[in-house]
Amino acid sequence: VRDEATTRATTRRLNIATIIVAVIAVSLFALDQFAFRPVATPFPQTPKAEISIPAKEAKAIAVLPFVNVSSDEEQEYFSDGLTEELLNVLARGNNLRVIGRTSSFQFKDKNEDLREIGRKLNVSHLLEGSVRRAGDDVRITVQLIDSGSGTQLWSRTFDRTLEDIFAVQDEIANAVTNELQVELLGASQTLTAEHSAEAYDWYLKGLRAQHLLGPENTREAREHFERSIELDPGLAVSWEKLAGVYGAMTVAGELPTDEGVELAKDALSRALELDPTSAGAYARQGVFRIMFDLNWKGAEAAFERALEIDPNNADALSGASHLANAFGRYSDALEYNARSIEVDPLNIRGLHNKAFFHYVGRNPEAAEAALLEALDFAGGNYTYAHTVLSLILLEQGRIEEAIAAAEKEVGEPFRLAAQTIAYYAAGRLEDSDAALEELIEKYSDRLAVPIGGSYAYRGDVDNAMKWLNRAYAQGDPQLSVAGVHPVHDNIQSDPRFQQFLRKLDLLPEN
């Protein structure tokens, strides 16, 4: 994806929304990680049913972005979309680990040695190819590569029309799995000859716009997916992606909450009705149950179903890791996250979450090492990184370093929250108050959880509960870590806080 294609919001409201959406992409529920106070043992948690962790696969493949060799550069959405859809088809392979899109697309438009790509992605095989489209005629050339030697195992060319595009994806997937001697489980219920090729073309356009991020691209994606569904109401993938767009627009404040939630849930229900074998749809259902319902048990069930269908679904693994963390099962959280890194090794989300889970699990040395690794991978900075680093340093008593880290945070609301905590720890009460007042003035409509956490760090139970209850009224998904987050250590014994956790179903009933 070209860097220049990323669109920035032009209004204050959309700027705030863009920050929030970006952080959700980095860490599914961890928008509110603002303070750490060590305690002797982790806070007691509600026992939850375990989601079984599938065994590691013996074979792994990465589908590299297909090159658009059409005379029309605008057809790049088509080659990118085919790459992603082929990746999804191959994910049905039994005992075949398929690298996630985020990692595979890191190599788009890069002329890097195939053996080095294989090493970075830790895969045995690579699939690369090119797409040439002229009107309704499509030529797809694919090569299967042994990543260890860089040698080509086979190459095939498929000349098809747009109407045959669904079948050719299965042809390619079957050829790959036959070569690798793995079984492709189940027939695809998503794309068949009965579906409209024109609708699928609009779906691919929407897919590209969705991946570009930014409010203008999100609105464009919505238009494309809705057009796809208008042409073919039975195209499950369009419903699923449209549900994600509605959810993003709701979080960003571009849709009224009630309307956006209803649209998102209805679209997802339609997707699951059309294709009950979609791991991606169940993973999204888990996210929705957390974002919109604060329904941890329902989310866990959705992630479990997603992993039954596709044990390597990175979104489901990431979601399961956060739920395990929310209930104090830190070893499980780290294991799920390790699996998500295997599937998507170049996704900053996994590296960041590794640091955060160590931090919440009271292992600051491991947390610092993981966070520095994430920063190095990201080129030294990304939104929310220095906030977490500041908290980790505070846990180790390195207060001045924590202040310096907080001041480097690039996301303003997170910088203010980190400064509120770090200044308070240093005894700079006036500076802490000033940061907290600015945080409240600018972000109280969206960031009630970290404001409550800042008061909790100070031991101010009245104000902490005021803001946490406001977050509950808003249905804030950040509350998923309320029971384990160290920012609340100073109010854990207060009956009002324990009752609040019971209301969230984060503590057992007495």
Side-chain angles (χ1 to χ4, degrees):
V1 178
R2 298 188 184 96
D3 291 339
E4 62 267 26
T6 302
T7 303
R8 295 183 179 179
T10 57
T11 65
R12 175 183 175 277
R13 185 179 187 186
L14 292 183
N15 279 329
I16 297 171
T18 300
I19 291 171
I20 293 173
V21 172
V23 174
I24 288 176
V26 171
S27 180
L28 188 59
F29 317 122
L31 300 183
D32 67 319
Q33 324 309 327
F34 290 107
F36 190 96
R37 284 289 183 88
V39 293
T41 58
F43 200 58
Q45 298 303 325
T46 307
K48 293 289 178 178
E50 299 293 328
I51 301 176
S52 60
I53 301 173
K56 296 181 181 179
E57 296 76 16
K59 298 178 181 179
I61 189 170
V63 183
L64 300 181
F66 282 15
V67 178
N68 172 36
V69 293
S70 307
S71 58
D72 183 2
E73 291 185 1
E74 294 300 317
Q75 291 296 324
E76 191 161 346
Y77 78 87
F78 190 79
S79 57
D80 282 356
L82 286 184
T83 304
E84 185 167 351
E85 288 304 297
L86 183 56
L87 185 154
N88 291 333
V89 175
L90 284 171
R92 291 162 32 221
N94 186 27
N95 293 324
L96 178 65
R97 177 165 56 88
V98 182
I99 295 299
R101 182 192 188 279
T102 302
S103 294
S104 291
F105 272 70
Q106 294 280 344
F107 300 98
K108 183 176 174 61
D109 298 327
K110 294 180 181 178
N111 187 24
E112 191 162 347
D113 184 89
L114 293 175
R115 291 170 296 180
E116 182 63 14
I117 294 175
R119 185 192 66 80
K120 289 181 178 179
L121 296 178
N122 190 28
V123 294
S124 57
H125 295 81
L126 299 168
L127 190 71
E128 64 172 0
S130 62
V131 179
R132 183 185 300 277
R133 178 179 173 186
D136 287 341
D137 294 323
V138 181
R139 166 170 286 190
I140 304 173
T141 301
V142 293
Q143 300 90 35
L144 182 65
I145 309 295
D146 182 308
S147 64
S149 63
T151 58
Q152 179 179 290
L153 298 177
W154 59 254
S155 176
R156 290 187 61 181
T157 298
F158 301 83
D159 289 308
R160 299 288 189 274
T161 66
L162 194 59
E163 294 293 335
D164 298 325
I165 200 63
F166 309 131
V168 75
Q169 291 176 19
D170 279 336
E171 279 188 66
I172 296 171
N174 279 308
V176 171
T177 53
N178 286 339
E179 179 69 26
L180 299 180
Q181 296 182 342
V182 297
E183 180 185 4
L184 198 60
L185 297 177
S188 172
Q189 297 186 29
T190 302
L191 302 173
T192 64
E194 68 186 37
H195 290 300
S196 162
E198 183 182 358
Y200 183 66
D201 197 45
W202 281 103
Y203 161 74
L204 294 181
K205 291 178 181 178
L207 205 61
R208 180 165 176 78
Q210 187 178 38
H211 286 307
L212 292 176
L213 300 179
E216 291 183 10
N217 291 313
T218 301
R219 288 191 289 270
E220 182 181 345
R222 173 184 180 176
E223 293 173 2
H224 293 338
F225 291 139
E226 288 179 340
R227 175 58 176 158
S228 173
I229 289 168
E230 181 182 339
L231 291 167
D232 186 350
L235 198 57
V237 288
S238 293
W239 284 106
E240 179 190 334
K241 298 301 182 183
L242 183 59
V245 167
Y246 287 147
M249 294 181 75
T250 303
V251 172
E254 293 194 71
L255 285 173
T257 300
D258 291 345
E259 176 188 351
V261 170
E262 182 177 3
L263 286 170
K265 288 183 175 181
D266 286 350
L268 186 59
S269 293
R270 182 62 173 152
L272 284 167
E273 177 185 335
L274 290 167
D275 184 6
T277 68
S278 171
Y282 280 107
R284 194 179 302 280
Q285 184 183 65
V287 173
F288 281 4
R289 285 175 173 175
I290 292 169
M291 287 176 60
F292 302 138
D293 302 326
L294 302 181
N295 179 357
W296 327 123
K297 293 178 181 178
E300 187 172 49
F303 293 136
E304 183 174 35
R305 177 61 180 139
L307 291 173
E308 287 175 356
I309 297 170
D310 177 9
N312 292 311
N313 186 282
D315 291 332
L317 287 166
S318 182
S321 74
H322 281 282
L323 281 180
N325 176 70
F327 292 98
R329 303 199 311 266
Y330 305 120
S331 61
D332 287 348
L334 287 166
E335 176 64 20
Y336 284 127
N337 191 63
R339 287 297 312 281
S340 75
I341 292 174
E342 287 180 5
V343 174
D344 213 356
L346 302 186
N347 190 337
I348 189 65
R349 174 180 66 181
L351 297 174
H352 178 91
N353 289 343
K354 179 180 178 181
F356 177 67
F357 296 150
H358 277 306
Y359 154 72
V360 173
R362 275 66 173 179
N363 189 346
E365 290 79 13
E368 182 181 5
L371 199 280
L372 293 176
E373 180 185 2
L375 277 168
D376 181 65
F377 175 80
N381 215 344
Y382 60 88
T383 299
Y384 194 60
H386 284 92
T387 292
V388 176
L389 180 59
S390 177
L391 306 179
I392 293 168
L393 293 169
L394 278 179
E395 155 64 358
Q396 299 176 72
R398 296 153 63 184
I399 295 177
E400 291 305 316
E401 292 177 75
I403 291 173
E407 291 173 347
K408 290 181 181 179
E409 172 59 52
V410 296
E412 183 184 56
F414 310 113
R415 173 180 56 78
L416 290 171
Q419 287 175 319
T420 295
I421 298 299
Y423 290 151
Y424 188 85
R428 293 169 53 178
L429 302 186
E430 290 185 5
D431 291 335
S432 178
D433 287 343
L436 181 55
E437 288 172 8
E438 187 176 356
L439 179 65
I440 293 172
E441 179 183 355
K442 291 183 176 180
Y443 301 104
S444 60
D445 60 332
R446 293 186 178 275
L447 295 176
V449 170
I451 295 171
S454 296
Y455 281 116
Y457 185 88
R458 299 175 173 206
D460 185 341
V461 182
D462 290 341
N463 277 311
M465 296 312 304
K466 168 188 170 182
W467 286 98
L468 290 174
N469 278 302
R470 178 178 295 190
Y472 178 79
Q474 295 170 349
D476 195 327
Q478 302 169 70
L479 291 172
S480 63
V481 291
V484 295
H485 200 296
V487 71
H488 299 135
D489 287 350
N490 285 339
I491 65 171
Q492 282 180 359
S493 61
D494 190 280
R496 289 169 291 177
F497 183 64
Q498 294 203 19
Q499 181 59 37
F500 181 73
L501 294 179
R502 291 190 183 93
K503 182 167 64 173
L504 289 173
D505 196 26
L506 292 173
L507 273 184
E509 294 290 346
N510 289 332

